[in-house]
Amino acid sequence: MTQSTPLPSLHFVASDRPEAREACKELQDRYGIVPLEQADVIVALGGDGFMLETLHANLRARKPVYGMNWGSVGFLMNDYAIEGLPERVAEADRTIIHPLQMDAWAQTGEVHSGLAINEVSLLRQTRQTAKLRVTVNDRVRLEELTCDGCLVATPAGSTAYNLSAHGPIIPLDAPSLALTPISAFRPRRWRGALLSHTARVRFEVLEAEKRPVSATADNFEVRNVKAVEVRERRDISLVMMFDAGRTYEERVLAEQFAG
């Protein structure tokens, strides 16, 4: 960065944690309070969950988001430090992510739509296992999947619920989606699939009244669904920023080689 390069103006937001709120005030006292519409970058203080909230709230403004960790999980966040923050942000690497579109048909006939930055997940609502028919690009791939649920994850979401369900970690720049079962009973050995980002996935809920299923796009839930379609919204681009040398891709590699 040359001396003549202007430093970015920063808008600070924080999670509800008292420590994050205190850190936010400290940063505002140091660097000033800039309204969102005048800022170049949003600085989000919290954990990965708050990063997700900030990206959702930023769907209209679509400002780059630089996260600093003040939460329990910080895979998507940078380390917190008050000194030299504008310079860190100016030198940070930018990663573009695209959300998923979920269209869910309820048993009542209503259609509900939502966007997911992490994943779209289907989950059983009762003690009964779910039975799902899985179609990819208009071709049935699984006539009947008996399971607790199934999810489609973006690269950004591949280290969240998807990883807990033993799905693959996907680099952020990979044009791929993860299709991952949750506690699959039949076919027992099916571990999911890596799909092209252009794939259109459709889930049909079999025996929907006996085996009710909910569908969730991040934190937006639709209960008692009978069908769900998922596709990537390539027309929506969101930017996350990571410190130089500590990119998301480097963290993904470290996670995969962790003991």
Side-chain angles (χ1 to χ4, degrees):
M1 183 180 67
T2 64
Q3 236 176 355
S4 59
T5 303
L7 294 175
S9 57
L10 308 176
H11 175 77
F12 298 98
V13 294
S15 70
D16 290 334
R17 293 187 64 164
E19 303 95 325
R21 295 284 186 183
E22 185 177 337
C24 184
K25 185 180 184 307
E26 189 177 11
L27 288 167
Q28 288 175 328
D29 290 344
R30 172 71 68 91
Y31 298 110
I33 298 175
V34 178
L36 174 61
E37 59 273 13
Q38 296 175 19
D40 298 312
V41 176
I42 299 170
V43 176
L45 305 172
D48 286 353
F50 186 67
M51 170 61 85
L52 193 65
E53 290 179 28
T54 304
L55 290 169
H56 272 285
N58 186 42
L59 281 168
R60 185 180 295 274
R62 300 189 190 178
K63 303 270 187 179
V65 180
Y66 177 93
M68 288 203 290
N69 190 26
W70 271 107
S72 56
V73 180
F75 200 86
L76 300 176
M77 312 301 273
N78 299 287
D79 293 335
Y80 177 80
I82 191 171
E83 301 296 333
L85 181 59
E87 290 80 6
R88 283 175 68 190
V89 174
E91 295 172 358
D93 294 313
R94 299 186 173 210
T95 300
I96 296 175
I97 61 173
H98 305 285
L100 298 174
Q101 171 87 29
M102 177 188 80
D103 297 310
W105 284 260
Q107 293 182 42
T108 58
E110 296 174 311
V111 182
H112 303 270
S113 298
L115 293 176
I117 293 163
N118 268 5
E119 75 277 319
V120 172
S121 58
L122 280 75
L123 294 168
R124 64 186 176 103
Q125 293 178 194
T126 67
R127 62 181 178 81
Q128 296 275 12
T129 56
K131 288 191 176 183
L132 308 174
R133 179 180 294 118
V134 182
T135 300
V136 179
N137 296 333
D138 301 320
R139 181 175 175 181
V140 176
R141 292 295 180 176
L142 285 175
E143 193 65 52
E144 184 176 298
L145 170 63
T146 305
C147 56
D148 281 354
C150 196
L151 62 84
V152 180
T154 66
S158 68
T159 58
Y161 192 7
N162 173 72
L163 182 59
S164 297
H166 307 292
I169 298 176
I170 306 173
L172 273 184
D173 58 355
S176 303
L177 303 173
L179 175 61
T180 302
I182 303 167
S183 301
F185 181 66
R186 287 197 182 92
R188 193 181 297 273
R189 295 187 180 181
W190 188 63
R191 295 292 182 263
L194 271 177
L195 306 177
S196 166
H197 71 96
T198 62
R200 302 181 317 279
V201 182
R202 178 178 173 85
F203 300 98
E204 295 170 76
V205 181
L206 308 178
E207 304 177 31
E209 292 187 4
K210 178 183 177 182
R211 303 171 183 272
V213 168
S214 67
T216 304
D218 286 346
N219 58 357
F220 171 64
E221 182 184 34
V222 182
R223 295 181 70 80
N224 300 306
V225 298
K226 62 180 181 180
V228 177
E229 292 186 356
V230 184
R231 60 185 173 86
E232 187 185 65
R233 287 290 301 272
R234 206 72 179 178
D235 59 315
I236 300 177
S237 297
L238 300 170
V239 178
M240 288 194 298
M241 305 180 72
F242 297 95
D243 285 333
R246 286 186 53 79
T247 62
Y248 179 90
E249 286 74 13
E250 175 58 34
R251 298 176 199 200
V252 164
L253 281 172
E255 181 74 20
Q256 292 181 95
F257 285 95

